[in-house]
Amino acid sequence: MSHLLPTYARADLAFDRGEGAWLVSTDGERYLDCHCGVAVNALGHAHPALVAALQAQAAKVWHVSNLFRVPDAERLAARLCEATFADLVFFCNSGAEAMEGAIKVARKYHAASGHPERVRIITFEGAFHGRTLATLAAGGQKKYLEGFGPVAGGFDQVAYGDLDAVKAAIGPETAAILVEAVQGEGGVRVGTPQFLRGLRELCDANGLLLVFDEVQTGMGRTGPLFAHQRVGVAPDVMGIAKALGGGFPVGAVLTTAEAGKGMTPGTHGSTFGGNPLAMAVGNAVLDVMLAPGFLEAAQRKALLLKQRLAEVKDRHPSVIREVRGEGLLLGLACVVPNDRMITALRDEKLLAVGAGDNVVRIVPPLIIDEGEIAEAVDRIDRAASRLEKAAADEHQAVPTKRTPDDTPSLEGIKG
Ligand SMILES: *Cc1c(COP(=O)(O)O)cnc(C)c1O
């Protein structure tokens, strides 16, 4: 038996190594990776620049604490600010921790502005912000909150995309609006430019901070370095993580100087946050992503993949009902249960990841090439055919009793 706390519904599959867009299992099979460790390995596996950066740093110094200067952290912070709206960066180790930090920044800003009563944050149905107690409350999903005691207060949830509902939820205690430009775990639901611009306007009119959760959408996943740049809406505060370290655990809170004005010495901290190993890799990730033409090339490949997936959908309307998403954060909204589709894809040696709304996320690395895209499309097409055939066979056969094991839960995959 396994001594791991059984909080995940794991597939019985383990990997020995990776190369670019491919993962090799311990039994020697090659899988095309359109899962990327839930949108983390944006530069694929064993990228030479990342391996070199980590190995070089590992031979120098791993950890010193934030009670000393970390030159690579200063450099990475400066580069992230140069590329975005932000003036200041706080480094941490995960997405949830970045969002906790972002929530603290937003509340402290109002306290420092003479309005300590402004603590409430408007969030959206279908949101996912992490698994800590405050980020769970922000996400508001009952099934994740049940049994864990009092729900952290101060979050008001409204329907995603509904500006009137946001307006109605704003009160004298509102501090901020927290939103994903594209809801990833919620089912690859894309926020429209009008919605995101409307949020900015409501924040400006009411003295609120706009906080973006770009933990999943960040670092080129949806096209530009950050998803909000596509619609030209700048937040005041932003949390990032997943792709920032290309697989090395790291997160960050980015803020304007004004929004971050309450965060003085002693107000926040993290022992491991921004340590030399994480910063070496983060800088190497930026070296690759900010090289001229890199994000544009990924965007071209993303358009190609989306077009080809739309053709697959047209060929298999009884399996896939919609292709959605931006850039290389794509979702197949399924007719069949999404876990059956994921299993069929795995049988075709392609890895994909589930999401809410019965969606299968197709999130390949940004370095995937056109041949690999064609290969991915073929495998997805074959998996859809497999499911059609299975449905036809089931229709023919005498109905058999299903055991509970036939329908594994996707619960454990999230977050
Ligand atoms: C994954 C995710 C998180 C949580 O990140 P962890 O590193 O798992 O804590 C938060 N927000 C969004 C949008 C995410 O996709």
Side-chain angles (χ1 to χ4, degrees), residues 342-366:
I342 288 167
T343 304
L345 289 167
R346 204 188 301 136
D347 290 341
E348 294 293 340
K349 304 290 181 280
L350 182 138
L351 303 172
V353 59
D357 222 6
N358 203 31
V359 163
V360 173
R361 270 175 290 179
I362 303 291
V363 282
L366 276 51

Side-chain angles (χ1 to χ4, degrees), residues 319-342:
V319 178
I320 302 165
R321 67 187 159 85
E322 188 192 343
V323 178
R324 49 170 88 151
E326 288 285 333
L328 287 171
L329 178 50
L330 295 172
L332 307 176
C334 292
V335 180
V336 298
N338 61 354
D339 53 350
R340 288 192 65 179
M341 183 66 175
I342 288 167

Side-chain angles (χ1 to χ4, degrees), residues 18-281:
E19 312 155 359
W22 298 85
L23 272 172
V24 182
S25 64
T26 46
D27 53 7
E29 296 278 5
R30 283 168 63 81
Y31 288 80
L32 187 48
D33 190 5
C34 293
H35 179 303
C36 279
V38 197
V40 166
N41 307 98
L43 300 179
H45 300 280
H47 190 290
L50 272 54
V51 172
L54 187 61
Q55 284 178 339
Q57 188 59 48
K60 292 206 289 185
V61 61
W62 290 17
H63 182 80
V64 294
S65 102
N66 285 303
L67 300 176
F68 301 99
R69 288 181 54 194
V70 179
D72 272 351
E74 292 173 11
R75 178 158 171 263
L76 183 55
R79 298 173 81 191
L80 287 169
C81 290
E82 171 72 29
T84 66
F85 69 96
D87 304 306
L88 298 165
V89 179
F90 176 88
F91 288 110
C92 53
N93 312 283
S94 69
E97 212 186 329
M99 296 322 300
E100 287 273 341
I103 291 164
K104 287 178 72 174
V105 169
R107 288 183 175 166
K108 197 72 169 179
Y109 161 78
H110 289 288
S113 305
H115 288 285
E117 77 284 1
R118 297 184 79 161
V119 297
R120 304 196 68 82
I121 295 175
I122 297 172
T123 65
F124 296 92
E125 288 163 15
F128 184 78
H129 300 300
R131 297 287 205 145
T132 61
L133 291 169
T135 57
L136 278 180
Q141 297 239 26
K142 275 208 185 60
K143 62 182 178 202
Y144 296 153
L145 285 161
E146 259 166 27
F148 295 110
V151 177
F155 298 96
D156 298 307
Q157 208 164 45
V158 301
Y160 190 65
D162 187 344
L163 282 175
D164 289 332
V166 176
K167 210 174 193 170
I170 297 172
E173 293 180 8
T174 306
I177 297 171
L178 166 56
V179 70
E180 295 159 89
V182 179
Q183 287 190 336
E185 303 296 319
V188 191
R189 298 164 75 203
V190 180
T192 65
Q194 303 88 286
F195 172 55
L196 299 171
R197 284 189 203 121
L199 292 180
R200 180 72 267 176
E201 283 161 21
L202 284 174
C203 284
D204 293 343
N206 293 280
L208 312 180
L209 296 182
L210 182 59
V211 182
F212 272 97
D213 180 343
E214 292 234 28
V215 169
Q216 185 157 160
T217 51
M219 309 301 290
R221 178 53 61 192
T222 70
L225 194 60
F226 295 103
H228 68 266
Q229 294 169 332
R230 168 176 62 89
V231 286
V233 176
D236 302 291
V237 183
M238 173 169 80
I240 63 176
K242 289 194 165 91
L244 177 59
F248 196 93
V250 59
V253 186
L254 280 66
T255 176
T256 63
E258 175 64 10
K261 71 183 178 184
M263 303 305 285
T264 51
T267 53
H268 196 41
S270 162
T271 298
F272 293 120
N275 90 3
L277 291 173
M279 297 298 97
V281 181

